[in-house]
Amino acid sequence: MMRLRPIIVALGCTMLTSGAMAQLSITPPAQTPPAKKEAPKPTPPKVQSPVAAKKAAPKPAASPSPTPSPTPTHAFEDPNVDLVFGAYQRGMYKTAFDLASTRAQYNSDPKAMTMLGELYTNGLGVKRDYVKANQWYQKASDAGDREAMFALAMMKISGRGGAVDKDTAVKLLASSAKLGEPKAAYNLALFYLDGQTLPQDLKRSAELLRMAADAGNPEAQYALATFYKEGTGVPKDPEKAVRLLQAASLADNVDAEVEYAIALFNGTGTPRNIPAAVALLRKAARQNSPIAQNRLARVLATGQSGPVDKVEALKWHTVAKTAGKGDPDLDEILSDMSPEDRAKGEAAARKWIGNNVK
């Protein structure tokens, strides 16, 4: 998993920095139609090898039209090409490697080549080898596989298996994005936003983010929401920003959950809904977002969503401070707690930190 330069777009005091977390995913290739089968015989079915089937004497048919015999197929021509991906999903990496190797050798299957690159990259079922991973990604990329183009671009950005080559990486990302790969469009948008490898072009960055967001990429949805919130490369539109934040939060993007919760709490671009906002803050706090933990502590300490609960507030305030999100105002609000309540809150914080913070 690679991290590019972060999206640096201000979102007020609540905005988090979003990094480009690029992760290769191998999707199952489309199945080819299976060969036609013979009509079933009246007698019980019996499995025969292709050779035995040729030698068997033909039986009299009820119809004068002869039934064509099936064409023998070799193992590497098995139409069930997704067996490779199925083995990968089940954690049968050695099986996936063997199946993918056969398909890559005899069928020149680009998806199998991409799978081999993935297995070599992560050392799954085979010893990790970035050089071989690069070779297989290159072959699959040359054959037009968009996921291989994206993966190879990530390898060249990080310098795994060879020298860092961002210029080539950008070209690969552009080709992959043109073929509809949302992760490539998202990462290419970051290059246009950053303005170092490519000239800064906020409008082009927004276009690429929209492409990835429309394809359901939650990181792109969150990033594009920040663009609409601040009017970066697009007209300012709080309502569009909120819709994108909602979509990304439904996909468990923690940063989007925090921003959407704050929008719901304040009624910015959407009707105000404090219970829903607090529920989202609580969810994000449990996912170790320091900002969510801080905001939740404030809500609980001041009773903005219900009864005051300073014990729970102290717990989340302490957890957030441990992660570097201090809050002097909360220190003041919680300063009048009884020794017993303070001990309970601190104990709850220690338990949470011990179980969840690494």
Side-chain angles (χ1 to χ4, degrees):
M1 184 178 293
M2 293 305 309
R3 178 175 296 274
L4 300 184
R5 295 180 61 85
I7 298 179
I8 307 172
V9 181
L11 281 182
C13 65
T14 63
M15 180 63 198
L16 291 177
T17 300
S18 176
M21 299 301 294
Q23 184 176 0
L24 174 65
S25 63
I26 309 296
T27 56
Q31 293 189 357
T32 55
K36 293 184 178 180
K37 297 182 179 180
E38 285 188 89
K41 306 285 185 181
T43 55
K46 182 178 180 182
V47 179
Q48 285 186 317
S49 68
V51 177
K54 286 184 178 180
K55 291 183 179 179
K59 295 183 179 180
S63 169
S65 301
T67 304
S69 59
T71 303
T73 14
H74 297 289
F76 56 81
E77 293 175 338
D78 187 347
N80 297 314
V81 296
D82 62 343
L83 289 176
V84 178
F85 183 70
Y88 177 86
Q89 280 189 314
R90 293 192 297 273
M92 301 168 62
Y93 302 123
K94 183 62 170 64
T95 300
F97 178 82
D98 292 341
L99 290 170
S101 297
T102 300
R103 295 204 61 78
Q105 180 181 357
Y106 293 105
N107 291 34
S108 299
D109 184 346
K111 286 295 181 187
M113 296 173 187
T114 303
M115 175 62 77
L116 290 172
E118 169 79 354
L119 295 171
Y120 273 118
T121 298
N122 296 290
L124 301 174
V126 67
K127 185 179 179 181
R128 177 174 287 164
D129 190 326
Y130 292 138
V131 174
K132 287 184 178 179
N134 263 313
Q135 291 170 349
W136 282 114
Y137 284 143
Q138 185 68 64
K139 288 181 180 180
S141 178
D142 292 343
D145 187 78
R146 69 185 194 184
E147 290 181 327
M149 295 173 190
F150 169 70
L152 186 59
M154 294 297 100
M155 299 286 279
K156 291 188 178 297
I157 288 169
S158 65
R160 289 185 296 175
V164 172
D165 187 350
K166 290 187 178 180
D167 291 335
T168 300
V170 165
K171 293 176 183 177
L172 286 164
L173 288 175
S175 297
S176 181
K178 189 175 181 179
L179 291 173
E181 176 53 60
K183 296 186 295 296
Y186 170 68
N187 283 277
L188 187 59
L190 297 184
F191 277 111
Y192 278 111
L193 177 62
D194 180 72
Q196 293 191 22
T197 303
L198 291 172
Q200 188 178 60
D201 187 336
L202 300 179
K203 186 177 179 181
R204 179 57 177 156
S205 181
E207 290 171 352
L208 288 162
L209 287 176
R210 187 178 296 110
M211 182 191 308
D214 289 345
N217 184 283
E219 287 75 22
Q221 291 167 343
Y222 172 67
L224 186 58
T226 71
F227 276 37
Y228 277 114
K229 184 175 179 181
E230 296 298 323
T232 303
V234 292
K236 197 171 184 177
D237 192 330
E239 292 183 357
K240 283 186 178 179
V242 166
R243 286 197 295 270
L244 286 161
L245 289 173
Q246 181 184 34
S249 67
L250 289 172
D252 292 328
N253 182 288
V254 180
D255 294 340
E257 289 172 356
V258 176
E259 290 297 319
Y260 184 41
I262 293 172
L264 286 169
F265 194 92
N266 296 325
T268 305
T270 184
R272 196 175 191 200
N273 189 335
I274 291 179
V278 173
L280 267 177
L281 285 176
R282 196 178 295 276
K283 179 183 177 184
R286 289 171 176 164
Q287 293 171 292
N288 281 326
S289 164
I291 290 183
Q293 291 161 350
N294 171 261
R295 296 298 187 272
L296 180 59
R298 279 179 167 264
V299 168
L300 293 169
T302 57
Q304 296 179 67
S305 63
V308 171
D309 188 344
K310 289 191 175 182
V311 172
E312 187 76 359
L314 179 60
K315 167 192 168 181
W316 290 117
H317 175 45
T318 304
V319 172
K321 280 204 299 185
T322 302
K325 185 63 179 177
D327 191 333
D329 291 338
L330 263 178
D331 287 333
E332 180 65 26
I333 293 171
L334 299 173
S335 63
D336 62 351
M337 291 178 66
S338 67
E340 293 80 8
D341 285 347
R342 181 169 294 278
K344 289 178 183 177
E346 291 173 348
R350 285 195 300 271
K351 182 177 179 181
W352 175 269
I353 293 169
N355 292 336
N356 297 279
V357 178
K358 297 180 180 179

